[in-house]
Amino acid sequence: MLHQVHGHSSGSGAQGGESLREDLREFLSGEAPLHQLDDLTKVNPVTPETVLRCLQARYAADTFYTNAGCTLVALNPFKAVPQLYSPALMREYHAAPQPRKLKPHIFTVGEQTYRNVKSLIEPVNQSIIVSGESGAGKTWTSRCLMKFYAVVAASPTSWESHRIAERIEQRILNSNPVMEAFGNACTLRNNNSSRFGKFIQLQLNRAQQMTGAAVQTYLLEKTRVACQASSERNFHIFYQICKGAGTDERLQWHLPEGAAFSWLPNPDRTLEEDCFEVTREAMLHLGIDTPTQNNIFQVLAGLLHLGNIRFADSEDEAQPCQLMGDAKCSIRTSASLLQLPEDPLLETLRIRTIRAGRQQVFRKPCSRAECDIRRDCVAKLVYARLFDWLVSVINSSICADPDSWTTFIGLLDVYGFESFPNNSLEQLCINYANEKLQQHFVTHYLRAQQEEYAVEGLEWSFVNYQDNQPCLDLLEGSPISICSLINEECRLNRPSSAAQLQTRIESALAGSPCLGHNKLSREPSFIVVHYAGPVQYHTAGLVEKNKDPVPPELTRLLQQSQDPLLKVLFPADPEEKAQEEPSGQSRAPVLTVVSKFKASLEQLLQVLHSTTPHYIRCIKPNSQGQAHTFLQEEVLSQLEACGLVETIHISAAGFPVRIPHWNFVERYELLRRLRARTSPGPHSPLPAEGRSEWSPCTEAATLQPLLQDILHTLPALTQAAAAPDDPAEASAAPVHCGRTKVFMTDSTLELLEHGRAQVLEQCARRIQGSWRRHWYRKQGRRRRAAVLIQAAIRSWLARKHVRRLHAAATVIGRAWRRWRIGMAFLASKELDGVEENHLSQVPLPTGSLLLPQTQTSLLAAVIRLWPLGLVLANAAVGVRGFQRKLVVWACLQLPTGSPSSYTVQTAQGQAGVTSIRALPQGSIKFHCRKSPLPYADICPEPLPYSVTGFNQILLERDSLGHRPKGSP
């Protein structure tokens, strides 16, 4: 049953209060150091005192970030801590499997938003809302987050894309110093206070790589150009050009050393932000070249000289006001720098034009106050348009094509809650914006979550919180509110006094609990009780600032400028000129400052409602900006104003993660594999194969068994993730199944994601193993097929080679036989007188009487054809030894006797041819012409008793008698 509770305990009375005090004393005197508590939800009991003591202990230990459930608390250290924002630490948080287990940091929030965009089934745009008082460190936090996203979201795959990503990253980072130089100023509470609100949209493509960015600004405090409070300064850029300009630039811009300007208070105060070179380099990277920069700084110098123009009251009301002191020199210099005609400029500042109907025009001299207002109006108009032009240039430089990005991460950095001794329309709009953002937090987190728990049927005890809806009703309610009354005063064609506006507000809104009145104040004012505290607003000048009138003659004067930049800022538009001169009957209603700011704020909130918000609460330890100083009263007021204690209560007992049933089943159905392996008990059957998508229309009866199966895997996941020496982590993960959604904490979501990653890893390993097995088998089959193909090819090639050899041998043999027969025929024809039986009369040696039958047949063949015997005698292979000698004897018809008395010589080296017809006398020479056959001199291995190399027949010169005696 739902019931209302206050604080951490639902008990009441003296017994409950005594128990709370005992718990408080026990917690504060505990052994565990307070600075080790990274999350304030671990504080028990949760009271403002315990939260304050924990933050103070962590601040003393130089630990400036602390988790508070869904919110990150950031304490401003008021000193440089470079190691806390190094690129190495950014990559460490980006690469961590579970960043929330690391120390609390703004990088944890940044990485969580980046992973949300990357991991969700349907990516949802993310937003980070950085809030806090002025000087709490919102601008620095936004700057560090932009650097973090530039590092982690730029991971290109090629060199060309790497260069593109580096250029985009550099331009996004360079947009910060330019916008801070032109939009930030030093105030009483902050040396670098943002005097405008900005929403930076970091654009990501489908691969979660940063492709560009877009900047949207809200309500620039342009009145600061011409009016600065005591001990405050103008925008940083004016001090940068006065301190950082070179000698030639000072001469060009008429800014001599030590020059005094009325709109440049506290010039001797040096700040870290007064770095002119950083601004110029950043502008150069954004595509603003040096001539354009010089043109911008020349216009700003002209505005400074315009502020030195002082008017004196005229004695005659029909005459314009006179110039005071060196005002003539100032107006001459200002006109030269702005490239405006001097006389029309002075005339426009001192004389106003009144139109009566369409034809009648009256010229009336202005009073001294009106001259000052017109002078300030020129400066504010030029500076506001210059700032808008710079924003458009930055967007054109860093914004990506709409088709190249799909999601974005938004960084909202708005002015913090302000309360000064003199608060006017600027502070009213700033605090109104902070009230809207606080209401967004209350609506989205504190109220909406608790109402959703009740609708989903969870057992929940409501936590009371400070709702700022009554204050918003006072500021913007319908039909009557402060904004509507101020706008109504602007529409009435009558002079409005500050006292009259105060009376109207108090009488019309007297029943509001957030409206107060300071009876001791001498000036007309009213008090609004904001969520961060009461603020007194003075009504003097409130209506005029809301009107923000721009006389048409001032716009026409600026359109006459010959300056290239002013021509761009003030184009001569005929339509605009026609609209400036409407008839009294058709005049459109005036669009006031409050109306424009309210419309832009509503548009911003619509963007925030379409994203998943993340909150960073910046806390200022002290108002003096001193390091190592923690003032409990100031910090406690900020904690109470932003509702941090109530946030901790809801975060400690609530469930920040809410996923619809069908979406939960679709993403975590893989965990049922763990259920099947770890729990062999009965469980619901797996769905049919091929059914991977779940629609929201799936029946609850079908989803419930699947949800239970998935949730039953959480104990196993918790035990697996718990450390052996930390049994506290092994406790059951908090998760509840509502009617349409599953509620869980961030730790439970991390467990589910870790288990899902394990299942996907196992599936990936199985797929890889199956693929490797299939690949190896396929490779084996291919290898065996290749071996068979290679063997068949080798066999075919061998057979082809053998066939070629056989064909070649046949051709050679046929040619050789033809040649041998021809040679034998020529030899038999040329030789005559051969006695065939001469060899039988030759006595044979005793040792050779018994010849083998083969040698006898060979000898008979030689006797029949003795020239062929010469061939056999001189061949490289064939008969050897004694057989050779017999052949020689038979061929030459030598007488019987000692063979040593005869000599047979070859004549290879001698010229001439000796006929074989001549009887042998001494040396015998045989020569013959080369055979015309191409292969006559080359033949294969000869067979025994074959005649080879007829062209090489030469008789040896060596005498037969000179052979060694031992030769056969």
Side-chain angles (χ1 to χ4, degrees):
M1 183 176 178
L2 304 173
H3 54 279
Q4 300 278 346
V5 297
H6 273 279
H8 186 72
S9 175
S10 59
S12 59
Q15 184 177 359
E18 183 64 27
S19 175
L20 180 61
R21 285 191 293 270
E22 292 179 359
D23 293 340
L24 182 61
R25 285 193 297 268
E26 181 180 357
F27 172 77
L28 296 178
S29 61
E31 298 179 358
L34 298 180
H35 68 274
Q36 294 182 359
L37 294 176
D38 292 340
D39 198 333
L40 295 178
T41 58
K42 299 178 181 179
V43 174
N44 189 14
V46 178
T47 62
E49 184 179 357
T50 56
V51 172
L52 185 65
R53 290 288 297 274
C54 285
L55 293 177
Q56 185 176 7
R58 292 178 65 82
Y59 186 78
D62 284 346
T63 306
F64 308 109
Y65 295 107
T66 308
N67 289 326
C70 67
T71 305
L72 178 70
V73 179
L75 295 171
N76 194 340
F78 290 118
K79 64 178 181 179
V81 192
Q83 69 275 8
L84 200 59
Y85 309 98
S86 63
L89 190 63
M90 297 179 187
R91 288 187 286 270
E92 179 182 353
Y93 276 84
H94 179 58
Q98 297 179 348
R100 294 187 67 87
K101 289 190 176 182
L102 300 177
K103 292 182 178 180
H105 204 286
I106 57 175
F107 298 156
T108 307
V109 181
E111 182 62 22
Q112 183 179 358
T113 57
Y114 183 70
R115 294 191 180 186
N116 285 355
V117 172
K118 188 176 182 180
S119 63
L120 291 178
I121 299 174
E122 295 181 0
V124 179
N125 297 324
Q126 307 288 308
S127 62
I128 300 179
I129 302 173
V130 184
S131 60
E133 290 189 1
S134 179
K138 300 183 300 299
T139 301
W140 173 261
T141 301
S142 301
R143 188 190 309 170
C144 293
L145 284 172
M146 290 182 65
K147 291 182 180 179
F148 174 79
Y149 287 120
V151 170
V152 305
S155 54
T157 56
S158 63
W159 173 248
E160 185 64 24
S161 57
H162 178 68
R163 293 177 58 187
I164 295 174
E166 279 190 344
R167 184 169 69 250
I168 293 173
E169 171 189 348
Q170 192 65 29
R171 288 182 177 180
I172 292 175
L173 295 181
N174 282 325
S175 64
N176 267 333
V178 175
M179 298 190 69
E180 289 181 9
F182 285 84
N184 290 20
C186 176
T187 62
L188 293 175
R189 296 187 175 184
N190 187 7
N191 291 339
N192 190 30
S193 176
S194 297
R195 308 318 301 164
F196 69 104
K198 62 177 179 292
F199 182 70
I200 305 173
Q201 190 181 75
L202 304 177
Q203 300 160 348
L204 307 176
N205 58 13
R206 295 186 182 275
Q208 283 74 48
Q209 297 174 2
M210 190 161 57
T211 60
V215 180
Q216 186 176 0
T217 59
Y218 304 94
L219 191 65
L220 173 70
E221 189 187 10
K222 57 185 178 181
T223 56
R224 183 171 290 271
V225 177
C227 181
Q228 304 84 29
S230 176
S231 301
E232 292 192 356
R233 300 203 319 175
N234 208 326
F235 291 104
H236 293 322
I237 187 62
F238 291 104
Y239 298 90
Q240 291 180 4
I241 62 176
C242 289
K243 296 180 181 180
T247 305
D248 296 338
E249 294 171 340
R250 289 183 180 276
L251 293 176
Q252 180 183 357
W253 303 334
H254 299 277
L255 298 175
E257 291 281 353
F261 296 98
S262 301
W263 290 349
L264 209 66
N266 304 314
D268 298 332
R269 185 177 180 181
T270 302
L271 301 178
E272 182 183 355
E273 290 75 20
D274 297 340
C275 188
F276 191 43
E277 292 301 323
V278 173
T279 303
R280 300 201 68 162
E281 184 178 358
M283 295 175 71
L284 197 62
H285 281 96
L286 291 173
I288 305 175
D289 54 10
T290 303
T292 306
Q293 293 181 25
N294 294 334
N295 197 177
I296 293 173
F297 302 140
Q298 178 179 327
V299 171
L300 295 178
L303 296 184
L304 288 179
H305 286 281
L306 185 67
N308 284 348
I309 301 176
R310 291 289 179 265
F311 298 96
D313 291 329
S314 176
E315 297 179 358
D316 186 3
E317 294 183 356
Q319 299 296 325
C321 295
Q322 301 298 320
L323 298 178
M324 295 178 58
D326 297 335
K328 290 185 178 181
C329 180
S330 297
I331 199 167
R332 185 181 307 111
T333 305
S334 178
S336 174
L337 293 173
L338 298 177
Q339 296 190 25
L340 291 171
E342 180 180 350
D343 294 337
L345 173 61
L346 183 58
E347 181 182 352
T348 305
L349 294 180
R350 297 190 301 177
I351 300 176
R352 65 191 179 103
T353 303
I354 302 176
R355 293 182 177 273
R358 296 185 177 182
Q359 301 296 333
Q360 297 180 357
V361 178
F362 300 95
R363 298 169 60 85
K364 180 181 179 181
C366 299
S367 64
R368 175 182 177 183
E370 292 175 343
C371 290
D372 292 340
I373 292 176
R374 294 171 74 86
R375 177 203 59 199
D376 297 347
C377 183
V378 171
K380 292 188 294 183
L381 181 61
V382 172
Y383 195 84
R385 293 205 179 185
L386 174 61
F387 184 80
D388 293 338
W389 177 81
L390 279 174
V391 173
S392 65
V393 170
I394 292 174
N395 283 329
S396 63
S397 176
I398 65 178
C399 189
D401 185 47
D403 297 332
S404 64
W405 60 277
T406 56
T407 56
F408 69 85
I409 299 176
L411 297 178
L412 180 60
D413 176 21
V414 295
Y415 6 63
F417 183 83
E418 291 184 351
S419 178
F420 298 119
N422 187 8
N423 302 288
S424 186
L425 183 68
E426 293 82 10
Q427 284 68 40
L428 180 63
C429 292
I430 288 174
N431 294 336
Y432 168 55
N434 282 271
E435 288 284 352
K436 293 288 288 186
L437 293 177
Q438 177 66 15
Q439 180 64 20
H440 176 268
F441 173 75
V442 169
T443 303
H444 179 269
Y445 194 80
L446 298 180
R447 182 172 61 200
Q449 282 198 11
Q450 298 191 86
E451 292 178 354
E452 187 176 14
Y453 296 155
V455 172
E456 290 289 330
L458 274 68
E459 295 183 0
W460 177 259
S461 298
F462 273 92
V463 177
N464 286 340
Y465 54 87
Q466 181 182 359
D467 194 352
N468 64 336
Q469 187 60 46
C471 183
L472 281 177
D473 294 337
L474 173 66
L475 294 174
E476 63 170 8
S478 179
I480 300 177
S481 64
I482 293 178
C483 292
S484 65
L485 292 176
I486 296 176
N487 288 335
E488 184 178 350
E489 286 291 329
C490 295
R491 288 191 295 267
L492 294 176
N493 191 12
R494 66 179 184 182
S496 176
S497 64
Q500 185 179 1
L501 178 61
Q502 175 190 0
T503 304
R504 287 199 63 188
I505 291 176
E506 291 179 351
S507 60
L509 302 171
S512 175
C514 297
L515 180 65
H517 174 63
N518 185 7
K519 298 181 180 180
L520 301 179
S521 177
R522 297 181 179 179
E523 299 179 359
S525 62
F526 60 92
I527 296 177
V528 177
V529 182
H530 292 280
Y531 75 96
V535 178
Q536 181 179 1
Y537 299 97
H538 296 275
T539 57
L542 202 63
V543 175
E544 291 299 323
K545 288 184 178 180
N546 189 35
K547 287 181 180 179
D548 193 19
V550 178
E553 54 267 25
L554 295 182
T555 305
R556 287 194 294 269
L557 171 68
L558 294 173
Q559 289 175 348
Q560 299 175 10
S561 173
Q562 300 302 316
D563 185 81
L565 180 60
L566 291 180
K567 284 185 176 181
V568 176
L569 300 181
F570 298 94
D573 190 1
E575 296 181 0
E576 180 180 353
K577 187 174 181 180
Q579 290 178 1
E580 291 175 356
E581 302 176 358
S583 62
Q585 302 296 331
S586 61
R587 182 174 301 175
V590 179
L591 189 61
T592 62
V593 172
V594 172
S595 300
K596 291 188 290 186
F597 182 70
K598 184 178 179 181
S600 61
L601 197 58
E602 290 294 337
Q603 184 180 2
L604 172 64
L605 290 175
Q606 288 180 2
V607 174
L608 294 180
H609 282 300
S610 65
T611 63
T612 300
H614 304 264
Y615 303 95
I616 298 179
R617 295 287 191 180
C618 296
I619 302 296
K620 184 168 55 176
N622 58 83
S623 301
Q624 293 75 27
Q626 299 177 356
H628 308 289
T629 302
F630 191 92
L631 300 181
Q632 294 186 357
E633 294 80 4
E634 295 185 9
V635 175
L636 183 60
S637 64
Q638 297 176 62
L639 296 180
E640 293 176 349
C642 65
L644 188 64
V645 176
E646 293 82 0
T647 303
I648 297 172
H649 276 300
I650 298 176
S651 299
F655 306 97
V657 180
R658 301 173 298 278
I659 306 176
H661 286 172
W662 64 272
N663 202 343
F664 183 84
V665 171
E666 182 180 4
R667 183 164 184 82
Y668 300 110
E669 186 183 359
L670 293 173
L671 297 179
R672 301 178 68 214
R673 297 174 180 267
L674 297 176
R675 171 74 172 165
R677 185 173 63 253
T678 58
S679 178
H683 56 279
S684 61
L686 291 172
E689 295 184 2
R691 183 180 179 181
S692 59
E693 297 184 358
W694 291 89
S695 64
C697 299
T698 307
E699 297 182 358
T702 306
L703 289 176
Q704 285 300 327
L706 299 177
L707 290 171
Q708 296 302 323
D709 280 348
I710 297 172
L711 296 179
H712 286 164
T713 61
L714 282 175
L717 293 175
T718 305
Q719 293 179 0
D725 55 348
D726 191 1
E729 293 186 3
S731 58
V735 60
H736 289 277
C737 186
R739 293 188 177 93
T740 61
K741 295 181 181 180
V742 177
F743 297 83
M744 65 187 76
T745 60
D746 291 327
S747 60
T748 306
L749 180 63
E750 290 180 358
L751 285 176
L752 291 173
E753 288 293 331
H754 182 65
R756 183 175 182 271
Q758 286 182 345
V759 174
L760 290 177
E761 183 180 0
Q762 294 173 2
C763 295
R765 289 180 177 177
R766 291 177 184 176
I767 293 173
Q768 291 175 356
S770 301
W771 169 251
R772 291 192 191 100
R773 181 167 59 253
H774 167 72
W775 187 80
Y776 284 130
R777 289 178 179 176
K778 186 176 181 180
Q779 288 297 107
R781 290 194 298 269
R782 288 182 175 180
R783 191 179 296 107
R784 290 192 295 270
V787 170
L788 292 176
I789 293 173
Q790 291 174 2
I793 292 177
R794 290 194 195 98
S795 176
W796 177 77
L797 291 175
R799 289 195 300 271
K800 182 178 179 181
H801 183 64
V802 169
R803 285 195 298 269
R804 292 183 62 186
L805 290 179
H806 286 173
T810 302
V811 173
I812 293 172
R814 187 183 300 111
W816 166 250
R817 286 191 295 272
R818 188 184 303 113
W819 173 79
R820 187 179 62 179
I821 294 173
M823 291 301 103
F825 175 75
L826 293 175
S828 63
K829 184 176 180 181
E830 187 172 344
L831 296 177
D832 52 1
V834 180
E835 296 181 1
E836 296 180 357
N837 55 355
H838 180 75
L839 185 58
S840 60
Q841 299 176 2
V842 180
L844 298 175
T846 310
S848 61
L849 292 176
L850 299 176
L851 296 174
Q853 184 178 359
T854 56
Q855 295 183 4
T856 303
S857 60
L858 179 61
L859 184 58
V862 171
I863 292 173
R864 288 194 299 271
L865 195 60
W866 69 269
L868 296 179
L870 291 177
V871 177
L872 294 174
N874 291 278
V877 293
V879 293
R880 295 290 186 269
F882 182 67
Q883 298 177 7
R884 183 175 182 178
K885 294 180 180 180
L886 290 179
V887 172
V888 173
W889 291 340
C891 292
L892 300 180
Q893 297 183 3
L894 299 178
T896 58
S898 174
S900 61
S901 60
Y902 304 97
T903 302
V904 179
Q905 296 182 353
T906 61
Q908 289 180 331
Q910 300 179 7
V913 178
T914 304
S915 176
I916 61 176
R917 294 176 180 272
L919 295 177
Q921 297 177 0
S923 299
I924 300 175
K925 304 173 183 178
F926 283 87
H927 291 273
C928 64
R929 289 176 296 179
K930 187 175 181 181
S931 172
L933 297 176
Y935 301 100
D937 298 330
I938 302 173
C939 64
E941 186 71 17
L943 299 174
Y945 319 119
S946 62
V947 181
T948 60
F950 185 78
N951 289 348
Q952 298 177 4
I953 300 175
L954 294 176
L955 297 178
E956 296 180 353
R957 288 178 178 275
D958 297 337
S959 176
L960 295 175
H962 293 106
R963 299 181 69 83
K965 296 181 180 181
S967 61

